[in-house]
RNA sequence: GUCCCGUUAGCUCAGUGGUAGAGCAUUUGACUUUUAAUCAAAGGGUCAUGCGUUCGAGUCGCAUACGGGACACCA
């Protein structure tokens, strides 16, 4: 700690640094070694009947200190909760007792003592001995109002976690949700795999990528926007059921439901179709809700949502008809479609194709209404370059998305497995890219080559994990379910 | 990218163009079952940053930074 730095510190921080000097005079180490513990706080509270009168030892952070002359109370917090400490001068001796009263909120100590209940019924530890373990040099936010400032909460998540217990709950729940997804898929014979995060050609979806550079190879690489094309290569290779649950990176706008890096789960299954995947999706979400929240009936920001399968299924054409009255089965030409869109107040360029118009109307007029889980099926081919064409109507694909609370929660389709068709669709994307569409797909020759070896009929599903966690943890912003959300640097 | 809002003590927040406020936290004292402990006293501020308007700016204006919200972009 340099002196010029100390000058910047506020009074509270100077006081705490001075306490370190006083501790050193007393031969107490401000930063010590591990302390042998027998329990966590919550274990004692939960098993009080068995532990009353027993000796226990704990490690934790002082969160409150109430001195009463010759006896003091403190609240000790660890990863499982809090417990009250009761320290008496005649138990620990005058010197230790006086030192205890100089502890700061935030300091970390090890204690051992006897479990008992105070007169007012509070389960506590009568401290027989304690050891200082680590000094806290910065004051924590206030005990009652906690830390509210969102900027500080996101930038200094460690403080948020210390003082806002519900934040810890959210992230524990997130961990359980991800664990249950893995368990669900593994129980059904899916193999978890890891494919590259740095791609020479970013593919698998429409999105702008982040670009990075490899020095030794002297080449640019792209942070992946989706694992899709690599997972399908694995289906070519003979893995019939695979999934990957990890980060994707998209260089796009940020919002309460978009973070530049986010967690995606993609599943691929050979010899299956999109009906199988709809079943898997609704069962998986129900399994996760049941095993983390204990119910498939949840409440998100005041809205009751019932995740119990089966979920409602509608084609995109049916959904648009239901919410706007426009029947795309009756629309023959692109021009008619554009006119229909304009008739309900949507601005659409004149040269827009029928399928894109349908999708625009869906996004503008339908999506937001789909609060209860709903599968929307059969997406237009123009916006689905990796999905299999429907035999019944080549304008559409065997693709579906699930919506909950008006948000897209997953995207899935029976995969295009015809390498010749795939190559043509890539070529069309390349033309659109040349025409200025930055998010059109790039040609991936190796992926086409893989398909040329032959791939069984396959279905794939991608689930936005952060949004699922938002719904299940009742979190209003994606930043509330990502420990360290992307932010500009301070200053 | 556009618009709106916010930034005052460690934290949570008041603040009407005229001496910078409260609660908690902190320091000192009292108190051996308190628990938002209590009681008594004290200290604590580059009002985000910069430039203006004004006799005088936390307050009015402009710009910048960071954050939040909405929209746009976007699966």
């Amino acid at each position: 700690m340099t002196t010029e730095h100390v000058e910047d510190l506020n009074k509270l921080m100077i006081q705490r640094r001075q306490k370190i000097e006083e501790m050193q005079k007393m031969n107490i180490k401000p930063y010590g070694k591990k302390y042998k513990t027998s329990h966590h706080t919550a274990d004692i509270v939960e098993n009080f009947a068995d532990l009353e009168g027993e000796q226990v030892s704990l490690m934790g952070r002082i969160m409150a200190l109430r001195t009463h002359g010759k006896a003091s109370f403190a609240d000790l917090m660890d990863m499982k909760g809090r417990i009250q400490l009761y320290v008496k001068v005649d138990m620990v001796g005058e010197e230790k007792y006086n030192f205890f009263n100089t502890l700061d909120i935030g300091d970390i100590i090890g204690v051992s003592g006897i479990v008992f209940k105070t007169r007012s019924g509070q389960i506590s530890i009568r401290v027989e001995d304690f050891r200082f373990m680590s000094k806290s040099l910065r004051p924590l936010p206030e005990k009652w109002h906690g830390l509210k400032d969102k900027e500080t909460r996101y930038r200094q998540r460690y403080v948020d976690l210390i003082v806002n217990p519900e934040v810890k709950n959210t992230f524990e729940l997130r961990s359980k949700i991800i664990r249950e997804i893995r368990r669900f898929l593994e129980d059904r014979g899916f193999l978890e795999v890891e494919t590259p995060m740095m791609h020479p050609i970013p593919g698998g979806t429409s999105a702008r990528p982040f670009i990075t550079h490899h020095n030794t190879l002297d080449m640019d690489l792209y942070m992946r926007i989706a694992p899709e094309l690599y997972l399908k290569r694995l289906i070519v290779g003979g893995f019939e059921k695979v999934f990957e649950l990890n980060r994707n990176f998209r260089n796009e706008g940020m919002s309460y439901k978009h973070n530049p890096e986010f967690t995606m789960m993609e599943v691929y299954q050979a010899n299956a179709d999109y009906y199988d995947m709809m079943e898997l999706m609704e069962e998986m979400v129900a399994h996760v809700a049941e095993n983390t929240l204990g119910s498939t009936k949840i409440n998100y920001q005041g809205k009751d949502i019932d995740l119990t399968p089966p979920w409602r299924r509608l084609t995109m054409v049916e959904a648009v008809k239901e919410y706007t009255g426009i029947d795309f089965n009756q629309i023959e030409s692109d021009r008619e479609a554009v006119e229909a869109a304009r008739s309900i107040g949507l601005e659409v360029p004149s040269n827009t194709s029928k399928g894109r118009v349908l999708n625009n109307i869906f996004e503008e007029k339908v999506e937001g209404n789909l609060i209860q889980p709903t599968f929307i099926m059969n997406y237009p081919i123009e916006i689905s370059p990796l999905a299999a064409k429907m035999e019944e109507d080549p304008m559409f694909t065997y693709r579906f998305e699930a919506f909950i609370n008006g948000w897209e929660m997953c995207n899935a389709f029976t995969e295009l497995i015809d390498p010749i068709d795939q190559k043509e669709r890539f070529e069309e994307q390349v033309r659109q890219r040349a025409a200025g569409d930055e998010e059109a797909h790039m040609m991936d020759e190796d992926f086409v080559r893989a398909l040329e070896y032959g791939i069984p009929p396959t279905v794939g599903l991608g689930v936005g994990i952060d949004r699922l966690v938002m719904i299940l943890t009742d979190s209003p912003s994606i930043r509330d379910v990502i420990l360290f959300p992307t932010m500009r640097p301070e200053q």
Side-chain angles (χ1 to χ4, degrees):
Chain A
M1 197 56 52
T2 61
T3 47
E4 54 269 32
H5 186 195
V6 170
E7 284 168 13
D8 296 337
L9 303 178
N10 67 52
K11 192 180 170 186
L12 297 176
M13 292 173 69
I14 292 167
Q15 280 167 3
R16 290 182 176 216
R17 276 170 169 73
Q18 284 167 346
K19 283 189 185 174
I20 286 188
E21 290 170 28
E22 284 157 28
M23 286 168 65
Q24 281 162 338
K25 282 180 202 154
M26 291 186 284
N27 221 8
I28 297 167
K29 288 198 178 88
Y31 298 100
K33 293 188 291 191
K34 78 170 187 183
Y35 187 83
K36 192 168 185 227
T37 60
S38 64
H39 294 80
H40 280 103
T41 54
D43 304 334
I44 294 164
V45 176
E46 282 160 24
N47 301 303
F48 176 74
D50 295 333
L51 289 169
E52 184 171 16
E54 298 292 314
Q55 196 188 42
V56 295
S57 49
L58 304 155
M59 181 280 290
R61 190 187 290 275
I62 300 288
M63 295 304 288
L65 188 57
R66 299 176 289 280
T67 62
H68 285 258
K70 304 232 171 6
S72 297
F73 296 90
D75 294 340
L76 188 80
M77 181 172 79
D78 66 11
M79 69 179 285
K80 290 193 179 173
R82 287 187 184 217
I83 198 159
Q84 177 170 270
L85 306 179
Y86 178 55
V87 188
K88 281 200 298 184
V89 63
D90 28 358
M91 292 284 289
V92 297
E94 197 164 339
E95 193 180 324
K96 274 213 152 180
Y97 179 74
N98 289 337
F99 172 60
F100 189 88
N101 284 346
T102 68
L103 292 179
D104 285 309
I105 289 168
D107 286 352
I108 293 167
I109 63 169
V111 296
S112 65
I114 306 297
V115 177
F116 79 111
K117 219 178 233 185
T118 64
R119 207 180 281 161
S120 53
Q122 177 75 44
I123 295 170
S124 305
I125 310 292
R126 183 181 287 111
V127 175
E128 296 178 321
D129 197 14
F130 70 93
R131 200 180 81 211
F132 196 85
M133 296 177 71
S134 191
K135 186 68 193 166
S136 168
L137 291 175
R138 288 178 181 268
L140 285 168
E142 198 214 326
K143 59 186 172 188
W144 196 242
H145 296 94
L147 178 64
K148 289 191 171 172
D149 181 67
K150 285 192 173 146
E151 180 167 357
T152 311
R153 289 185 50 206
Y154 298 147
R155 284 192 197 283
Q156 300 185 46
R157 183 69 88 182
Y158 36 90
V159 180
D160 194 24
L161 287 164
I162 291 169
V163 300
N164 294 329
E166 69 282 3
V167 175
K168 203 188 271 178
N169 291 342
T170 296
F171 287 102
E172 283 170 358
L173 198 46
R174 178 180 175 120
S175 177
K176 285 181 194 164
I177 288 164
I178 288 172
R179 190 177 68 211
E180 288 303 326
I181 291 171
R182 288 202 159 98
R183 182 184 299 177
F184 177 91
L185 290 169
E186 280 163 12
D187 285 352
R188 279 160 186 73
F190 287 87
L191 182 75
E192 182 168 8
V193 296
E194 293 169 278
T195 65
M197 295 249 178
M198 296 191 293
H199 291 183
I201 300 166
T205 187
S206 309
R208 279 184 291 173
F210 288 94
I211 303 173
T212 186
H213 187 79
H214 190 286
N215 289 339
T216 302
L217 294 176
D218 189 24
M219 67 179 288
D220 284 344
L221 287 165
Y222 301 89
M223 305 302 292
R224 77 175 181 198
I225 53 177
E228 165 141 357
L229 301 184
Y230 284 93
L231 293 171
K232 276 194 242 178
R233 283 170 170 97
L234 295 179
I235 301 290
V236 171
F239 289 119
E240 292 177 10
K241 291 171 134 186
V242 295
F243 75 99
E244 182 159 10
L245 202 172
N246 218 315
R247 222 67 62 80
N248 285 352
F249 307 87
R250 295 186 187 171
N251 204 342
E252 290 169 350
M254 294 165 67
S255 78
Y256 73 96
K257 51 179 179 172
H258 296 84
N259 196 63
E261 54 177 313
F262 63 101
T263 300
M264 177 78 116
M265 198 274 298
E266 289 201 7
V267 190
Y268 288 82
Q269 181 171 356
N271 196 27
D273 61 23
Y274 76 153
Y275 294 106
D276 298 310
M277 233 9 121
M278 278 184 257
E279 231 168 83
L280 182 120
M281 175 69 186
E282 63 194 7
E283 280 174 16
M284 181 177 74
V285 170
H287 167 94
V288 169
E290 195 68 56
N291 286 278
T292 55
L293 304 174
S295 172
T296 51
K297 292 182 169 60
I298 62 165
N299 188 280
Y300 181 76
Q301 303 290 300
K303 282 173 267 186
D304 286 319
I305 294 176
D306 188 353
L307 302 171
T308 314
W311 297 351
R312 192 172 184 216
R313 297 181 185 189
L314 282 175
T315 66
M316 187 182 276
V317 169
E318 287 165 351
V320 165
K321 188 176 175 190
E322 179 172 325
Y323 285 92
T324 68
I326 299 172
D327 185 356
F328 267 73
N329 287 325
Q330 307 296 320
I331 288 177
E332 304 286 338
S333 66
D334 292 351
R335 220 185 106 197
E336 264 180 83
V338 169
E339 281 165 11
R342 287 175 178 169
S343 75
I344 54 167
L346 276 187
E347 286 180 33
V348 183
S350 301
N351 58 349
T352 312
S353 72
K354 178 179 156 187
R356 284 185 190 273
V357 173
L358 174 68
N359 186 57
N360 285 354
I361 295 175
F362 173 77
E363 287 182 351
E364 291 296 322
K365 301 290 180 187
V366 181
E367 251 186 41
N369 297 308
L370 304 176
I371 304 301
Q372 299 305 318
T374 307
F375 288 117
I376 298 296
M377 304 160 59
N378 306 351
Y379 278 60
I381 194 162
E382 302 97 301
I383 57 162
S384 313
L386 297 162
K389 211 181 286 186
M390 293 183 70
E391 285 177 8
E392 304 87 327
D393 185 346
M395 298 288 290
F396 293 94
T397 57
Y398 295 113
R399 173 179 174 188
F400 73 86
E401 294 187 354
F403 290 84
I404 303 176
N405 191 48
W407 305 343
E408 175 195 339
M409 298 299 294
C410 78
N411 180 19
F413 37 85
T414 302
E415 305 291 336
L416 172 60
I417 59 171
D418 175 348
I420 295 166
D421 188 354
Q422 178 69 75
K423 180 144 197 191
E424 285 168 4
R425 296 215 215 164
F426 270 139
E427 283 164 350
E428 170 58 25
Q429 290 286 316
V430 168
R431 275 192 291 278
Q432 287 178 16
R433 208 179 168 78
D437 182 355
E438 272 187 80
E439 301 188 353
H441 295 219
M442 296 185 197
M443 172 64 71
D444 190 332
E445 301 276 5
D446 176 71
F447 178 66
V448 174
R449 177 170 63 187
L451 294 186
E452 284 169 355
Y453 282 97
I455 180 172
T458 296
V459 61
L461 165 75
V463 181
I465 298 300
D466 307 280
R467 287 185 193 171
L468 181 62
V469 174
M470 285 170 73
I471 294 276
L472 294 175
T473 59
D474 196 19
S475 298
S477 168
I478 197 167
R479 296 185 193 93
D480 297 320
V481 300
I482 293 174
L483 280 165
F484 299 99
T486 304
M487 294 183 95
R488 286 197 162 93
E490 293 175 78
Q491 288 305 21

